[in-house]
Every structure is written in C-alpha cells, then in structure tokens.
Amino acid sequence: MESLLISNSDNTESSGSSNPNPTNQLSLDQRFQIVRSVGEECIQEDELLNLLAKKPEPVCYDGLEPSGRMHIAQGVMKTINVNKLTSAGCRVKIWIDDWFAKLNNKMGGDLKKIEEVGRYFIEIWKAAGMDIDGGKVEFVWASKEINARAGDYWPLALEIAPKNKINDETGHRQIMGRSEQDELTGAQIFYPCMQCAGVFILKADICQMGTDQRKVSELTTKYCDDVKEKNKPIILSHYMLPSLQKGREKMSKSDPSSSIFMDDEEAEVNLKIKKAYCPPKIVEGNPCLEYIKNLIIPSFNEFLVERSAKNGGNKTFKSFEELIADYESGGLHPADLKPALAKSLNRLLEPVREHFKKDKYAKDILKRVKVSLNFHGVVIYTQFLSVLHRLSLEQRFQIVRSVGEECIQEDELLNLLAGKHEPVCYDGFEPSGRMHVAQGVMKTINVNKLTSAGCRVKIWIADWFAKLNNKMGGDLKKIEVVGRYLIEIWKAVGMDIDGGKVDFIWASKEINARAHEYWPLVWNIAQKNNVKRLIRCSQIMGRSEKDELTVGQIIYPCMQCADVFFLKADVCQMGTDQRKVNVLAREHCDHIKRKNKPIILSHHMLPGLQQGQEKMSKSDPSSSIFMDDEEAEVNLKIEKAHCPPKIVEGNPCLEYIKYLIMPQFSEFLVERSAENGGNKTFKRFEDLIADYESGELHPADLKPALAKLLNRILEPVREHFKKDSNARDLLEKVKAYRVTR
C-alpha cells in the first residue's frame, strides 16, 4: 500500500518576507542551542542539527485541548518556549484540539463551549507576551482544518490505525489524562491516531509537547518507520511543572491549590505560594524552586529576594545554580524565598489581569468561560476559596467574625456557618456622592473576607432609599449614575466581583419586580412598630432625632428592615451607625415567631481626619480621603490630619493604619533618617502603638508613611478612571453633582 504521508519536502523555504532568515543574525550552533533548550528531552539531537542546517524555517507542532482554566505552565512556559522557537527562525503551529477535547468529553463535549475556552487561551497568550504578531505563530483549529482537508486527513488517520494494536493505543491514554483503569470509548481509542495524523497534516518537522505526551510523539516516528519515511518529525519534549503540593507530579485543573492559574488575582497567588510545599534546604521535589528555574529566571534573567538585614539583606540571584547553592546551605530560607517568588509571579501575571479588565472582548470571553466551567463542575478558585483551602469551621468563623467590631450573636454565627455552606450576607448603601476610603477600601476588605469564608454577599444599592432621603436632590437618574460610579471603584480597588459570590442588587428594580412580596412585608413591619421606635432608627439616614422627618423618611427603617428578609439574609453586615435598624429586624423575628434571626455584624466606623470628628463627611472634603483623590490631595490631607504625639485614643491616623493599611499589606513601613531611628517595619499594630505611645514613633515620620501607602492603595483606582472611558465619564458627572448629606 502506498503511504499517505504528506511530504515535508515542499516546505523548505521561509514564508513571509516580514520574517527575515534568522541565520542572518544567529549562527547554526546558536539556533540549535535555543531550540534544544526548549526540550528536557530531544530525539534525536543530530537530526535537529541537520534540520536547522538545511531548513531556515522549520515547522514546530504544538497542540492543546481547550478544557478549562489555563495554568501557568500552559501560559507562561508555553509563551517562553514559543518565543524561543520563533527567535531561532521556526514557524510554530499551535493545533487547537477542539474535536479532540470533544472526544475526551471536555466541557461536556459541547464544541461551542470548547471554542470559547480556546479563544480565551489565545487572549491569555497575547497578554502574556507570546510573539503572535511576528507572523511566525499560527493557531490552527482542528475541526476547521480537518473539515477543510478531510480528503487528506481521514485516510491518513485510518492508515495509522491498523498499524497499531489496541494495547498500543491504550498505552497512549495518558495524553488524554486517563489512567489504565479508566474505561475508554471507541472514539477515545481512535484519539492517538488522530493526533498523530495532525502532526503530518501540518507538515511538522518538530513535535514540541510535554514529556507526558512523548508516547504519541513516538507513535509518529513508528509510523514513519512503518512507511519507510526517512524525514521523521523530531521529538522535543518540554519539562512538566509539578504540583505545588507535596508528592504530586503534575498540576491539575480540578485541584486549584495545585497550580497557579493565569487569571489568579494577586492575593490568590500569594496564598497558594504561602501554602506551597517548600522544605528548607531540600531541592529535589521542591515545586517553588522549579517555578523559579522554569518561569522566573527565563522571564527576568534574575531572581530578587528582599529580606531584612538580620536575615542577610536583599540579594539578586543571576543564575539558578547560585540560588540552589544558597538554598541547600540554608543561606536562603523558604520564608524569604516564597514572598519573592509570589511577587515575581504576580509581576508575570499582571499584564494578563489588566488585559482581561480593560479589553472588552477578552473580558466577555472570560465571563462566559467561567460560567461554562462552573456549569460542568470545575471548581473556580475565587468562587470556592473556603473549600479550596479546606478551611475549618473555626477558621471560617474567625474570618467572618473579624469583619465586625460587634457581633450579635457569636454563638448563632458559629451555628450558621456549621449548618450552611454559603450564608447570605446583606450589605447596603445609598448612592449619595463621592466615595470615601472607608466605603471603598474597608468595604472591599470586608467583602473579600466574607467571600473567602464561603459567604455570598448581596449589596443592596438603595436608590429608592436615597430618593426618600433626598440624596442628589431626590433625582433617581443622578442617584443611578452615582451607584454605577461606586461599582467601578470597587472593581478597580480589588473587590472580588468576578468570583461569582458578590451580587449588586438595585432596590428600585428588585422591589418593582417583586412588589407583591415586598410591600406587604413593609406594612407588616410598620404595623408592629410605633412612630417613636421608628424615629429612633432615623440615624441610619444621617439624621438626629430632633430633625423634622417626612412620612417617607419614617417608613424608611421599615423598608430597610424588610430588605433583610426580602434578600433572605443570614447576616447583616453594615456599620455600627446602622445597628438600630438591624436590631429592628431581629425584633421583628420575635413578633412573627421566626427562630432564625439575622446575625448582626457591625463593622467599625472610621473617624474624620479632623479633631473631634466621629465619622467622615462627604460635605466636608477635609474630613476624609476620597477614592478618587489625587496623590497630592492625599498627602495634604494626611499632613493636616489630627495626629497628636503619643496620643492613641481619638487619633484618626492610627485608625487608618489599623483598619486600612495593616489588613491590606500585613505591615506598615516607616522610612526615616538614621538619626530618627532609621527605617522600621511594623508587622503588628500593637507594636506600632507601643512605639507611638512611647514617643519612639513621631507623627512627622508616621504621616508620610501613611500617605504613601494610601496612595499605593488608590493608584489602581486612579489608573482605572484615567484609562476606562466609561468610568471617567461617570466620575466627571458625579463631581459635577451637588453633594447632599
């Protein structure tokens, strides 16, 4: 029988004048060393050298199944390897195995969802820096290519099949992520023959895949032997990054703790690396060291470790061998290595995060992919953080409890978390003007704590309530603009909005949609409370009991109380200034004989920056830092803030450090001259207080440090409102509105 193998002899010239022959810049040996460095294994090196000598633009085959979120090996390592190959003059054809994913039942076998994941992968590679625009990287969709060239492809696949026994084929099941115990379908048995045919249909000179796929690469060389084809594709098998957990050979998408994903947020990366296996002085089987070797050093040509002087001071490692020597000797400890690794990984991932935040097309794809993945039971890290880290009941309780300065009742909270995997937390706000730092940063910290402990947070955008309280002159359109501006800030400052556990609910829309449920509930509450009781709740509207209230404002507490039940809230998470209406909700449970009362979790209220100001005021800009304040404004406000030496009580600067800086950065760095004590990093707020009360830490040193860290928190918000036209337009409108209390 005549071989159906598609010859590579017609593909010896470089295509495209935009990509000059690399031999003009690189010697043959240099090209060989670059290409060879991609593979942990190479079969055969002499054939690779001959190929590069004869062919200025060899074709490299790389394939992947679009099957879920992309881990860092697929993202960063593949980008590094592809860029190496193109720099040496190779053309890389990335075979997007959508049909193969269907055969392997990925995404439930739904081709449309598989295609979405494939396009999501391409967006990641773009953002990660793959040389896609250089003209030497081609994405080939298997389904389209096979259909277009069915007359070539299927006869070739069918010719390969009879030359391999079932035992040979089942030996290749690992390329599909299957074990020998898994029962395979007929289609899955045919899978290796199809992948082998793909190598030839793309006229590949080099098969560049993971060491876990070496068997299918061997299948191609066996077929060449069977049909007496001399020009066999060269097998270049790249290294497989191990799991972050002890004793696991490779990363797993079904276990998010085992790997870093390309869309992981900074906090997720930090936590995963913190929990990663990294035994002191042990190199073998140490995944953190493997990450440095295969990701960090190739990307940055160095590895910077920042540490205190007593631990050896900062050190930059220019080679992996140098780092290993320090690590094995104990000169470099995991406690210093891990934060440095996490920082470098986040530096690699930041362009990807920015791309998916700012590019509308990419953002839309990511949203759809997350929905698809969740539908098929793949755990999304940001949605199930508590499950991922296997938090104990006590750990979940401590996280949730830390949100509140007060809690009514702690035993009920513990019972709730024990009995309910995803408690509903209610938080509400009136869109009434610019956002101060307590609403922006503190709310973000608290919401992220709650979602990390498995809670669902429903944020009630109280637009009708703002109208009742005459905010923005009672103009609902203006109130809506302010609400959308506030959401943009939370996005920019890092609230876990995309994780699927935060819902923004517009009061006007929800109440209108469910009016038959809502208003009877409001009237029922109103009937059971006298006017005096309701007036005592008026402070939730920023009013005193002496202010003259309208009938609408009297009914306001009844409506807010109804919201708690309307949203089926288990926990009321609001400021201590709103505890009275939360107590009203618990009292209503007594009236209606309901046992499961909403738990009150009242967070601390940051004071104004001026002396004697109990809380910040939007009508007095000097009393607070706003989320859209420029750097100079923050510096000036903190410079003028009340901060008496040695006095802790009533000191707003210390409050900012306790509730904003320490939760955000886990430390507070004071930079000062040697004569004033030199730089000092406080890891605990208690240590800072001790220094401040004793006079060791002076306001003149504390204030600049506070301003610097506040500006660091606010910088992503400023950037978002500069670069995002929709956010910028909202900000300009809000600034033009008259602030009402």
Side-chain angles (χ1 to χ4, degrees):
M1 178 179 176
E2 183 181 356
S3 169
L4 297 173
L5 181 64
I6 298 167
S7 172
N8 290 344
S9 60
D10 62 344
N11 193 34
T12 57
E13 294 184 6
S14 174
S15 62
S17 58
S18 62
N19 296 291
N21 191 324
T23 54
N24 291 340
Q25 294 84 28
L26 299 172
S27 68
L28 174 60
D29 185 62
Q30 286 173 318
R31 293 177 66 210
F32 172 78
Q33 292 300 333
I34 291 171
V35 175
R36 180 61 186 85
S37 71
V38 168
E40 185 177 39
E41 300 172 356
C42 177
I43 307 173
Q44 299 276 346
E45 288 191 354
D46 56 340
E47 292 178 12
L48 175 60
L49 188 63
N50 290 335
L51 171 69
L52 295 171
K54 294 177 181 178
K55 196 168 184 178
E57 192 177 85
V59 174
C60 297
Y61 166 92
D62 194 347
L64 75 134
E65 284 185 11
S67 59
R69 294 173 74 199
M70 180 184 280
H71 54 60
I72 201 162
Q74 286 178 314
V76 176
M77 267 188 72
K78 193 180 289 288
T79 295
I80 291 168
N81 289 340
V82 167
N83 289 353
K84 281 183 178 180
L85 292 167
T86 59
S87 74
C90 299
R91 174 172 293 279
V92 180
K93 293 186 178 182
I94 298 179
W95 183 252
I96 304 179
D97 297 341
D98 50 350
W99 260 11
F100 297 72
K102 180 178 175 66
L103 285 178
N104 209 8
N105 203 36
K106 299 294 173 71
M107 311 305 296
D110 187 325
L111 263 179
K112 288 185 178 179
K113 288 177 178 173
I114 290 166
E115 182 182 349
E116 288 282 358
V117 176
R119 291 194 287 121
Y120 150 76
F121 278 17
I122 293 171
E123 288 299 311
I124 288 179
W125 286 320
K126 284 181 186 176
M130 186 179 284
D131 183 25
I132 293 172
D133 296 331
K136 284 184 172 285
V137 178
E138 184 180 350
F139 294 102
V140 184
W141 292 83
S143 58
K144 294 181 177 65
E145 190 73 8
I146 291 170
N147 283 336
R149 302 177 60 189
D152 294 327
Y153 181 83
W154 289 114
L156 180 57
L158 290 171
E159 185 188 3
I160 293 167
K163 298 182 185 301
N164 291 276
K165 298 176 181 178
I166 291 291
N167 287 342
D168 295 331
E169 292 294 280
T170 54
H172 296 118
R173 68 178 73 214
Q174 72 180 67
I175 67 176
M176 300 181 287
R178 307 284 177 177
S179 71
E180 294 187 10
Q181 285 74 39
D182 289 333
E183 186 176 353
L184 301 181
T185 66
Q188 289 166 339
I189 288 290
F190 196 48
Y191 181 111
C193 301
M194 293 176 65
Q195 192 169 12
C196 182
V199 173
F200 298 114
I201 206 82
L202 295 180
K203 302 180 181 179
D205 302 297
I206 299 171
C207 290
Q208 193 286 114
M209 293 184 286
T211 51
D212 64 333
Q213 304 218 357
R214 67 167 67 88
K215 287 188 178 180
V216 80
S217 299
E218 291 167 1
L219 191 65
T220 64
T221 59
K222 180 179 180 296
Y223 175 71
C224 288
D225 290 336
D226 290 339
V227 299
K228 306 296 189 287
E229 171 62 40
K230 292 182 180 179
N231 297 322
K232 301 176 184 178
I234 294 156
I235 300 173
L236 200 61
S237 302
H238 65 73
Y239 177 74
M240 299 292 294
L241 272 184
S243 165
L244 289 171
Q245 306 304 313
K246 183 180 180 181
R248 300 185 193 175
E249 286 187 5
K250 58 187 285 189
M251 293 180 276
S252 168
K253 292 179 184 177
S254 60
D255 178 9
S257 69
S258 72
S259 61
I260 304 295
F261 289 99
M262 293 300 291
D263 52 27
D264 273 348
E265 291 298 329
E266 183 177 355
E268 295 173 306
V269 173
N270 294 342
L271 192 54
K272 287 183 181 182
I273 296 300
K274 183 179 179 181
K275 290 176 174 283
Y277 178 63
C278 189
K281 300 185 181 182
I282 304 297
V283 173
E284 189 174 353
N286 189 322
C288 291
L289 295 177
E290 295 291 323
Y291 269 49
I292 295 167
K293 178 182 179 181
N294 293 284
L295 300 175
I296 306 306
I297 298 285
S299 296
F300 302 120
N301 298 315
E302 65 181 28
F303 181 65
L304 171 62
V305 175
E306 296 174 303
R307 56 191 176 185
S308 65
K310 69 177 181 180
N311 288 331
N314 295 354
K315 185 167 183 179
T316 300
F317 296 93
K318 294 292 186 179
S319 73
F320 184 66
E321 293 73 18
E322 181 188 3
L323 183 146
I324 288 299
D326 261 26
Y327 194 81
E328 284 187 309
S329 71
L332 176 59
H333 193 270
D336 296 312
L337 180 141
K338 283 186 170 186
L341 172 57
K343 187 174 183 178
S344 293
L345 287 171
N346 278 311
R347 186 175 159 195
L348 284 175
L349 297 182
E350 192 54 36
V352 179
R353 296 177 191 133
E354 287 299 303
H355 180 64
F356 280 95
K357 284 177 185 173
K358 295 175 181 177
D359 187 286
K360 187 176 182 300
Y361 173 76
K363 185 161 50 179
D364 184 54
I365 286 177
L366 179 59
K367 185 184 294 185
R368 291 200 298 272
V369 167
K370 282 190 173 183
V371 170
S372 296
L373 293 177
N374 192 40
F375 178 80
H376 288 289
V378 178
V379 178
I380 295 176
Y381 182 91
T382 51
Q383 289 185 323
F384 296 102
L385 205 59
S386 65
V387 177
L388 167 62
H389 295 298
R390 300 176 179 87
L391 293 175
S392 68
L393 174 60
E394 177 63 23
Q395 287 171 318
R396 292 178 68 208
F397 172 77
Q398 291 300 335
I399 291 171
V400 175
R401 179 61 185 86
S402 71
V403 168
E405 187 173 47
E406 300 173 356
C407 178
I408 305 174
Q409 299 276 343
E410 288 191 354
D411 56 339
E412 293 178 12
L413 175 60
L414 188 62
N415 290 335
L416 170 68
L417 294 170
K420 193 167 184 179
H421 173 67
E422 190 179 81
V424 173
C425 297
Y426 162 89
D427 195 347
F429 72 96
E430 284 185 10
S432 60
R434 294 171 69 194
M435 179 185 279
H436 54 60
V437 77
Q439 283 180 314
V441 179
M442 270 187 71
K443 192 181 289 289
T444 295
I445 290 168
N446 289 341
V447 166
N448 290 353
K449 280 183 178 180
L450 292 168
T451 58
S452 76
C455 299
R456 173 169 295 278
V457 181
K458 295 185 177 182
I459 299 180
W460 184 249
I461 307 176
D463 50 350
W464 261 10
F465 297 72
K467 181 179 175 65
L468 284 178
N469 209 8
N470 202 36
K471 300 293 174 70
M472 313 308 299
D475 186 327
L476 262 180
K477 287 185 178 178
K478 288 182 178 178
I479 290 166
E480 182 183 350
V481 168
V482 175
R484 290 193 288 120
Y485 146 81
L486 297 178
I487 293 172
E488 287 298 316
I489 289 178
W490 285 319
K491 284 181 185 176
V493 83
M495 185 179 285
D496 183 25
I497 292 172
D498 294 330
K501 282 185 169 281
V502 178
D503 303 318
F504 291 101
I505 303 170
W506 292 83
S508 58
K509 294 181 176 66
E510 192 72 8
I511 291 171
N512 281 336
R514 296 168 58 194
H516 63 289
E517 298 175 52
Y518 185 79
W519 291 113
L521 182 56
V522 172
W523 304 136
N524 185 261
I525 294 166
Q527 283 178 323
K528 290 179 167 53
N529 291 277
N530 59 41
V531 173
K532 286 184 178 180
R533 177 69 182 88
L534 297 178
I535 288 175
R536 287 202 300 275
C537 293
S538 64
Q539 71 180 70
I540 67 175
M541 299 180 289
R543 310 280 176 179
S544 73
E545 294 185 19
K546 296 179 181 178
D547 287 334
E548 188 175 356
L549 303 177
T550 66
V551 174
Q553 289 166 338
I554 288 290
I555 207 68
Y556 182 112
C558 301
M559 292 175 66
Q560 193 169 9
C561 182
D563 300 339
V564 175
F565 301 106
F566 192 55
L567 297 178
K568 299 179 180 178
D570 301 298
V571 179
C572 294
Q573 193 284 118
M574 291 183 285
T576 51
D577 62 334
Q578 305 216 6
R579 66 167 71 85
K580 287 185 180 180
V581 79
N582 292 331
V583 171
L584 189 68
R586 285 181 66 88
E587 289 175 355
H588 185 65
C589 290
D590 292 331
H591 294 318
I592 61 175
K593 306 293 189 284
R594 172 176 159 167
K595 291 183 179 179
N596 298 324
K597 300 178 181 180
I599 294 154
I600 301 173
L601 203 60
S602 303
H603 64 73
H604 180 73
M605 299 292 295
L606 275 184
L609 288 172
Q610 305 306 313
Q611 185 173 5
Q613 291 179 329
E614 287 188 8
K615 57 187 286 189
M616 292 180 275
S617 169
K618 292 177 185 177
S619 59
D620 178 7
S622 68
S623 72
S624 61
I625 304 295
F626 289 100
M627 293 299 293
D628 51 40
D629 273 347
E630 292 298 329
E631 184 175 355
E633 293 176 295
V634 173
N635 294 342
L636 187 59
K637 288 182 180 182
I638 296 300
E639 183 184 341
K640 294 188 172 188
H642 179 60
C643 189
K646 300 185 181 181
I647 304 298
V648 172
E649 190 173 351
N651 189 322
C653 291
L654 295 177
E655 296 271 312
Y656 270 47
I657 295 168
K658 180 178 181 180
Y659 290 99
L660 302 177
I661 305 304
M662 297 301 284
Q664 197 78 357
F665 301 114
S666 301
E667 64 180 29
F668 182 69
L669 171 62
V670 175
E671 296 173 303
R672 57 190 176 186
S673 64
E675 65 184 24
N676 288 330
N679 295 354
K680 185 166 184 178
T681 300
F682 295 94
K683 296 287 187 181
R684 300 188 318 135
F685 184 67
E686 294 76 10
D687 295 336
L688 184 147
I689 289 298
D691 267 24
Y692 194 82
E693 283 186 310
S694 71
E696 287 292 317
L697 177 58
H698 193 271
D701 296 313
L702 180 141
K703 283 185 171 186
L706 172 57
K708 184 175 182 178
L709 290 171
L710 286 172
N711 278 311
R712 186 172 157 194
I713 290 172
L714 298 182
E715 190 55 36
V717 180
R718 296 179 191 131
E719 286 300 303
H720 180 64
F721 279 93
K722 283 176 187 173
K723 295 177 180 177
D724 188 291
S725 58
N726 176 57
R728 188 167 59 241
D729 181 55
L730 288 170
L731 175 59
E732 292 306 313
K733 287 179 180 176
V734 171
K735 282 186 173 180
Y737 296 158
R738 180 175 68 87
V739 174
T740 56
R741 66 171 185 166

